[in-house]
Amino acid sequence: MECCPVDLPLFTSMPIASLGMNIRSIARSRTGRMITAVALAVAVAVPVVVTSASAATALTVAQALAAQDGRSATVTGYVIGQPTSTTTVLRSGFTADTAIAIADSAAETSASRMLYVQVTSAYRTTFGLLTNPELRGKQVTTTGTLTAYFSHGGLKSPTAMSLGGTTTPSPTSSPTPGPTSTPPGGDYDPAYYADATGKTGSALRSALHSIIKVQTKLSYDQAWEALKDTDQDPANTNNVILLYSGRSQSKTTNGGDANDWNREHVWAKSHGDFGTSTGPGTDVHHLRPEDVTVNSTRGNKDFDNGGSPVGEAPGSYTDADSFEPRNAVKGDVARMIMYMAIRYEGNDGWPNLELNNSVNNGSAPYHGKMSVLLQWHQADPPDAFEKRRNQRIYERWQGNRNPFVDHPEWAASIWS
């Protein structure tokens, strides 16, 4: 009866094949009946543990979507296409190598059952769809962090990617190029603008419109939450920075009362009479947090230099028909106006928005003063806050970019 505690460690440390041979030998010994039972229990238990551990190393797409908690995991799925927004996945005409959408079935059509996978620079030459459109429909396995991407269930910062159902070690490619090769507007994938590269004038304008019109459209209520993210104070994550006032204010003080902040339409919504309906009225690329009183003072005025100081917006000025923002955001304002003029060309049910040199446009779909806005654009180039905002809108909210933040030089090519 004392033999079992002595003999058991011998079985548990043996290879499975050797264990089986010892079982048969012991079964013929005078103590065989008892030891055979114990040995068989050990032999059966070992494979169960191994199989369980192996199964835990890979997730289906459905499992990954249900586990968006920041853990590191390996997921296998079929490449469906390139995600460009929360609900949009391109299946052809790919525009970038930065992301793929995968699903448990190669025939999946619902974005809600797809996992959006970030493709970082180390993997783009192999797994980017712009470069490798033939990947669509193929099975891939990737390891990374289970967290939202494009405000959608995702996997970010991959550490391994491979074709089929097995993973390969992290790539040994050279480090990401330093600042000398960073695109003019910041750290983004230049492939996004592939169709605009090398173009000028009207051809450039047309190409940019086709690129940036692919977006997720937000409701006006969703814009509140978007602005709390896109305009977050870098020094205080509980606050947003007000556009004209420059004041850092609690995210929770949004509303309509005095000293609350509300949603300023930089392209005045009456210029084209599009209101706050989903479309240009809810496009976060031109919505910004602003003090209620200052927002009212600006009203629907065009932009120009001069006027009297605005009390709650130091450095800003206004007169009967124009508004001048503080110097630190003059370029931001100009680039938001330019974005709107390119994004809304009158071919999707909304007015054709255009820049002009007037400061009394009223309800016409125009905004000025173009010559002054171009000067502001040159004098106040994109800063870190504006670049982060552009990236945040692209990654988390709308899936499109402001091209004049990324490529300031394009403004002169279009409005020369």
Side-chain angles (χ1 to χ4, degrees), residues 78-321:
Y78 293 90
V79 178
I80 305 299
Q82 175 199 342
T84 57
S85 75
T86 305
T87 57
T88 305
V89 175
L90 299 180
R91 289 169 171 77
S92 62
F94 304 119
T95 61
D97 286 326
T98 53
I100 58 174
I102 64 174
D104 287 326
S105 167
E108 183 59 67
T109 58
S110 174
S112 66
R113 291 188 288 271
M114 299 177 195
L115 185 74
Y116 288 4
V117 178
Q118 181 182 31
V119 182
T120 50
S121 57
Y123 297 96
R124 287 172 190 163
T125 57
T126 306
F127 292 94
L129 282 170
L130 179 64
T131 303
N132 308 278
E134 69 280 0
L135 283 178
R136 177 156 146 60
K138 293 186 178 180
Q139 190 182 48
V140 299
T141 298
T142 182
T143 301
T145 303
L146 295 178
T147 188
Y149 192 39
F150 286 97
S151 299
H152 182 287
L155 183 147
K156 296 180 70 174
S157 305
T159 57
M161 295 185 78
S162 67
L163 288 173
T166 58
T167 58
T168 55
S170 301
T172 56
S173 58
S174 57
T176 302
T180 55
S181 61
T182 300
D187 186 15
Y188 70 94
D189 189 337
Y192 178 76
Y193 295 113
D195 290 344
T197 302
K199 293 183 171 69
T200 59
S202 60
L204 173 61
R205 178 177 187 140
S206 177
L208 291 178
H209 170 69
S210 296
I211 293 168
I212 68 176
K213 74 177 182 179
V214 180
Q215 69 177 104
T216 296
K217 297 175 179 65
L218 306 180
S219 70
Y220 202 43
D221 284 341
Q222 286 175 314
W224 284 120
E225 298 308 310
L227 292 177
K228 292 175 185 178
D229 176 33
T230 61
D231 290 71
Q232 179 175 287
D233 183 349
N236 185 344
T237 58
N238 295 316
N239 288 9
V240 291
I241 299 292
L242 307 188
L243 177 64
Y244 306 131
S245 306
R247 188 168 75 236
S248 178
Q249 184 158 322
S250 172
K251 293 177 179 179
T252 63
T253 60
N254 59 301
D257 295 332
N259 295 320
D260 283 349
W261 64 268
N262 60 7
R263 295 156 293 189
E264 154 71 341
H265 293 75
V266 176
W267 183 292
K269 59 183 180 290
S270 64
H271 291 219
D273 196 26
F274 50 72
T276 60
S277 299
T278 298
T282 65
D283 196 317
V284 184
H285 274 296
H286 87 112
L287 296 181
R288 298 293 291 266
E290 187 47 68
D291 176 89
V292 168
T293 303
V294 176
N295 196 342
S296 178
T297 298
R298 187 266 158 136
N300 70 343
K301 297 172 183 175
D302 290 276
F303 294 102
D304 197 1
N305 293 314
S308 303
V310 178
E312 293 189 63
S316 297
Y317 300 87
T318 190
D319 56 23
D321 55 16

Side-chain angles (χ1 to χ4, degrees), residues 8-64:
L8 275 172
L10 297 175
F11 295 119
T12 57
S13 62
M14 288 180 183
I16 297 299
S18 299
L19 183 58
M21 293 176 64
N22 278 276
I23 291 170
R24 289 191 293 274
S25 174
I26 293 170
R28 292 191 292 271
S29 72
R30 58 191 173 189
T31 58
R33 183 175 299 175
M34 180 187 302
I35 299 177
T36 298
V38 174
L40 285 171
V42 174
V44 171
V46 171
V48 171
V49 173
V50 171
T51 302
S52 176
S54 176
T57 61
L59 298 178
T60 65
V61 168
Q63 290 170 331

